[in-house]
Amino acid sequence: MKGKVVALLVFLNLCWLLIGGGVFSALEWQNESAQRVNYEDYRSRLLRNFSCLTEEEVANFITAVVTATNAGLTLDNSTAADTSNWDFGNSFFFSSTVVTTIGYGHISPSTRGGQAFLIPYALIGIPLCGLMLNGIGENIGGYVTKKKKRWSKKVSERTAEVLVMLILFLMFLVFLVFIPSAIFLALEGWSYRISIYYSFVTLTTIGFGDYVPGQNSDQRVVYRLAILCWFMIGLAWMAVILNQVSTFLTEVGVKAQTARDERRKKKDGDTGEGEDNKAAEDVENSESTKSVKQSNVELRSMTPIES
């Protein structure tokens, strides 16, 4: 990739980050301020209603709640005491978020042993998972390529590529976003908007962790295994779509560059042909001049000298 293209991409990414910063700041700042006001108001009412509590005791209680929440505990009367975030099922689910780089962040290792084990585990698991997803994507891509070749016989190659990308994207939306979101709506109690938001954040591996499925499900292990399969298929499908788009844009760029090179060669060829014609005319004129001079000399030699 040429330096000018890289510089343009850097500039465009910087502009996109600036736009994102401005929009998110405008949308979220006011809500954050409102939440801060609500917190201060609730804290003040708590101190007024329970005069036996000191500000230090309330602050210590809030710190304990925040610490427990950051550790992944669900602090409600129904599940706080009788569930664990680090039983085998939840640990298995956590491992899947590590190797797929989704990283929800709702729980994370807090012990030295857990943090030390995470590093080599991720270094091995992430490439291994990437190879598996690449294998799944290659199989899907092979089927897509066959379809593309078959359709290319009926329509132009460019049209076939666009149709393939469109169908892949629509299938991704329907089977990996809209339908799973409806399932989350039924099982998690989220709104459909939040379910779609969660699906997109997960399949793009953004993984904020503000919404995590299976927290209150009675069949957490089976449910989360199904979600893991959804992870893998969705990530592989995303890779296929990105690969098809990248290939299409690369081919368009190569064809455009080839066309520019051909036009440049043709222009240079026309210029060179004109110069060759001019040189040939100069040689022809020179030969004609020499011929005329030679004829004059011969005529002078044939003329009799007067005595």
Side-chain angles (χ1 to χ4, degrees):
M1 190 175 290
K2 295 182 179 179
K4 292 182 179 179
V5 177
V6 174
L8 177 61
L9 291 175
V10 170
F11 175 75
L12 291 176
N13 275 275
L14 179 60
C15 291
W16 197 245
L17 292 175
L18 292 173
I19 292 172
V23 172
F24 286 124
S25 178
L27 294 174
E28 300 295 333
W29 196 345
Q30 186 175 0
N31 179 67
E32 181 193 40
S33 300
Q35 293 296 329
R36 184 180 291 107
V37 171
N38 290 337
Y39 164 75
E40 293 294 341
D41 180 64
Y42 185 82
R43 182 174 174 275
S44 299
R45 285 190 288 109
L46 182 66
L47 288 171
R48 284 198 308 269
N49 295 334
F50 299 92
S51 57
C52 59
L53 295 175
T54 64
E55 290 192 9
E56 183 179 359
E57 290 173 336
V58 172
N60 291 336
F61 176 74
I62 293 172
T63 301
V65 170
V66 171
T67 301
T69 303
N70 291 338
L73 295 182
T74 304
L75 299 180
D76 58 45
N77 293 330
S78 61
T79 59
D82 56 6
T83 59
S84 170
N85 284 314
W86 293 106
D87 57 17
F88 179 76
N90 284 311
S91 298
F92 183 84
F93 184 76
F94 168 77
S95 300
S96 70
T97 66
V98 172
V99 299
T100 56
T101 68
I102 293 173
Y104 284 127
H106 65 299
I107 59 172
S108 59
S110 56
T111 63
R112 291 184 179 180
Q115 292 171 351
F117 175 71
L118 176 68
I119 297 173
Y121 181 79
L123 287 175
I124 297 173
I126 291 174
L128 188 62
C129 180
L131 290 173
M132 180 190 68
L133 293 176
N134 184 62
I136 297 173
E138 284 184 354
N139 282 280
I140 298 174
Y143 177 78
V144 168
T145 301
K146 291 179 181 178
K147 286 292 184 181
K148 189 191 301 183
K149 289 181 179 178
R150 185 178 301 175
W151 292 346
S152 298
K153 298 177 181 178
K154 300 178 181 179
V155 296
S156 66
E157 184 177 354
R158 181 77 57 88
T159 304
E161 291 176 349
V162 173
L163 286 175
V164 165
M165 289 188 293
L166 182 61
I167 292 173
L168 285 173
F169 184 68
L170 290 176
M171 291 179 67
F172 173 79
L173 288 179
V174 173
F175 294 107
L176 294 171
V177 176
F178 293 152
I179 293 178
S181 296
I183 295 174
F184 294 136
L185 171 66
L187 297 181
E188 298 291 340
W190 301 337
S191 67
Y192 196 63
R193 175 184 61 83
I194 290 177
S195 299
I196 290 178
Y197 162 80
Y198 162 76
S199 299
F200 176 79
V201 166
T202 297
L203 295 179
T204 53
T205 70
I206 297 173
F208 288 127
D210 46 355
Y211 295 96
V212 180
Q215 296 292 305
N216 302 313
S217 176
D218 295 332
Q219 299 177 335
R220 294 173 67 168
V221 176
V222 176
Y223 179 43
R224 286 189 167 182
L225 283 175
I227 292 174
L228 177 59
C229 294
W230 172 66
F231 282 173
M232 299 303 177
I233 296 173
L235 293 176
W237 203 275
M238 279 285 292
V240 172
I241 293 175
L242 293 176
N243 180 63
Q244 291 293 321
V245 172
S246 176
T247 301
F248 176 75
L249 294 177
T250 300
E251 290 177 354
V252 169
V254 169
K255 289 179 180 178
Q257 183 65 39
T258 303
R260 285 195 297 268
D261 292 341
E262 289 179 353
R263 287 196 299 267
R264 188 179 298 110
K265 289 179 180 179
K266 185 177 180 181
K267 183 178 179 180
D268 294 341
D270 292 340
T271 304
E273 184 178 353
E275 292 177 352
D276 292 341
N277 292 336
K278 184 178 180 181
E281 290 177 359
D282 292 340
V283 170
E284 185 178 351
N285 292 335
S286 177
E287 293 293 334
S288 299
T289 304
K290 289 181 180 179
S291 177
V292 170
K293 290 181 178 180
Q294 184 67 27
S295 299
N296 292 336
V297 171
E298 292 177 354
L299 287 173
R300 288 195 192 98
S301 63
M302 294 173 61
T303 305
I305 302 174
E306 296 181 359
S307 55

